Amino acid sequence: MKAIQITEPRVMKVVEMDRPTCGANEVLLKIEYVGFCGSDLNTYRGLNTMAKPHVIPGHEIGAEIVGMGPDVPTNLRKGMKVTVNPYTNCGVCPACRSRRYNACEHNETLGVQRDGAMREFIALPWQKIIPVGDISTEHAALIEPMSVGFHAVSRAQAVDTDVVMIIGCGMVGVGAVIRSLLRGAKVIACDVDDDKLEIVRRLGADFTINTAKENVHERLMEITDSMGPNIVIEAVGSPATYQMAVNEVAFCGRVICIGYSKKDVEFTTKYFVQKELDIRGSRNALPEDFDGVIRYLKKYNPPYDVLTSGIVDPEHAEEAMIQWDANPGKVFRILVKFI
């Protein structure tokens, strides 16, 4: 079978592998669509220190069940369209004992610490398989990154009286925008790219700010009657956006951190105390976050045309990655099609 492998920094190849077979408690999936995410781009660039050597990337999955090993529950059947929870959990670390399996100390995400789904077939534990009903496998590949944004809003405990500022309007940020709106909050979406801001406007964001062109502080003061947003979700992972989150959040507000900064970040730490801030990390997603995204997609049928930058076959995946590497701000989501 075909698979895509990152063999060294900035080298991606289509390789041949044996088709896997199902062991006990495993489901065999025919991969139809897989999304490239930011961690895949960093692996391609040689910047992802968590990625195993020669990794097969990919954990944003739309697939069909084509086989099952012994001891798989009967609610999973051949022909079902599914996505995948791509994280592992050990069951014994402090996070797992707190039932926050998404933050397992020993997590190994598909396509990072272990080989991912950029291949024609993959066998996985049945517990990680998530049926999506009548959602297409193309759209199912968008569920995992959106669920990460959904989880961040849960960590923020956002409600209808909150003003939520979301920094970064990639797919994860889009998920945060959507769930904040579903909870009735006022949403201020920020990015450096006008095309991405247009997408979140179509999805219902109340306000947008181009942080490269506008005075962010002045706009926030106008929008919030000089109070500031009481929740800020950082979905970029750069020193500038982390500093913006702490500087602009309202007194007694909550800052939710999703992005991984590749460089150390210097803070004016007096704001931590002076504002009495809650600063919370948000990692991966829980099963209920996946369920929330699936319910949203079924109920609202969002404008999928703007949520995908392009669909390529495996032979053109490296070309698509090269273009993304050269101009990351202009690419929203690239899907690789294996059918």
Side-chain angles (χ1 to χ4, degrees):
M1 68 173 184
K2 291 179 182 178
I4 295 172
Q5 189 176 44
I6 299 173
T7 56
E8 58 184 285
R10 289 186 162 81
V11 178
M12 180 182 290
K13 295 181 178 179
V14 178
V15 298
E16 285 292 326
M17 299 181 63
D18 293 334
R19 175 172 165 168
T21 57
C22 283
N25 294 301
E26 286 188 330
V27 172
L28 181 65
L29 301 182
K30 172 68 180 78
I31 298 297
E32 297 192 354
Y33 293 88
V34 186
F36 276 128
C37 81
S39 65
D40 299 323
L41 176 60
N42 283 323
T43 301
Y44 175 75
R45 289 169 163 173
L47 301 176
N48 189 348
T49 58
M50 294 184 290
K52 70 185 286 286
H54 308 292
V55 71
I56 296 170
H59 56 257
E60 303 174 359
I61 299 167
E64 180 181 331
I65 296 176
V66 294
M68 290 170 287
D71 304 320
V72 174
T74 57
N75 65 301
L76 296 175
R77 301 178 299 278
K78 289 184 180 180
M80 293 182 76
K81 305 297 184 184
V82 300
T83 191
V84 171
N85 182 329
Y87 326 118
T88 63
N89 56 280
C90 69
V92 296
C93 73
C96 288
R97 291 186 180 191
S98 299
R99 305 184 69 84
R100 290 165 64 175
Y101 305 112
N102 59 299
C104 173
E105 182 179 353
H106 307 291
N107 167 64
E108 293 186 346
T109 299
L110 281 173
V112 185
Q113 296 94 341
R114 57 193 173 120
D115 283 333
M118 289 274 176
R119 44 179 146 169
E120 293 183 87
F121 295 91
I122 190 170
L124 294 169
W126 69 262
Q127 295 92 337
K128 299 299 181 181
I129 307 303
I130 304 172
V132 300
D134 59 359
I135 297 173
S136 72
T137 52
E138 176 186 338
H139 299 157
L142 306 178
I143 291 172
E144 189 275 341
M146 290 178 66
S147 74
V148 176
F150 269 48
H151 183 69
V153 176
S154 292
R155 291 283 292 145
Q157 298 175 300
V159 297
D160 57 357
T161 56
D162 288 320
V163 178
V164 182
M165 175 186 181
I166 295 158
I167 308 174
C169 296
M171 189 62 75
V172 171
V174 160
V177 167
I178 290 168
R179 193 167 225 185
S180 298
L181 291 168
L182 290 172
R183 292 189 172 199
K186 180 186 291 186
V187 173
I188 307 167
C190 303
D191 203 280
V192 298
D193 184 76
D194 287 328
D195 292 336
K196 290 179 180 177
L197 294 174
E198 176 58 28
I199 290 170
V200 292
R201 279 194 290 269
R202 286 185 61 178
L203 292 168
D206 299 283
F207 302 93
T208 59
I209 301 174
N210 186 315
T211 57
K213 300 176 181 178
E214 301 178 71
N215 186 307
V216 176
H217 181 73
E218 288 182 2
R219 286 279 285 124
L220 288 173
M221 293 300 99
E222 291 172 6
I223 293 167
T224 65
D225 295 327
S226 298
M227 302 296 287
N230 63 305
I231 294 173
V232 178
I233 297 175
E234 198 287 336
V236 176
S238 77
T241 51
Y242 264 89
Q243 291 162 349
M244 182 188 296
V246 171
N247 292 346
E248 299 299 344
V249 70
F251 275 63
C252 298
R254 300 185 289 282
V255 176
I256 312 301
C257 307
I258 309 175
Y260 283 88
S261 176
K262 306 300 182 295
K263 299 178 181 178
D264 291 341
V265 184
E266 293 185 2
F267 289 108
T268 304
T269 55
K270 73 173 184 178
Y271 290 148
F272 297 3
V273 178
Q274 191 177 56
K275 293 185 178 184
E276 199 173 52
L277 299 180
D278 290 340
I279 300 177
R280 305 176 184 179
S282 181
R283 183 183 179 194
N284 300 332
L286 286 165
E288 52 261 39
D289 301 309
F290 283 86
D291 292 343
V293 175
I294 290 169
R295 287 195 299 271
Y296 166 77
L297 295 180
K298 288 181 176 179
K299 183 174 181 179
Y300 292 97
N301 192 32
Y304 289 108
D305 59 308
V306 298
L307 297 180
T308 303
S309 300
I311 299 173
V312 299
D313 58 34
E315 288 74 16
H316 292 92
E318 183 175 31
E319 179 183 338
M321 186 64 83
I322 290 170
Q323 293 173 356
W324 189 16
D325 183 27
N327 198 359
K330 286 296 181 183
V331 174
F332 196 73
R333 224 6 150 249
I334 299 168
L335 300 183
V336 179
K337 181 179 179 179
F338 282 88
I339 54 174

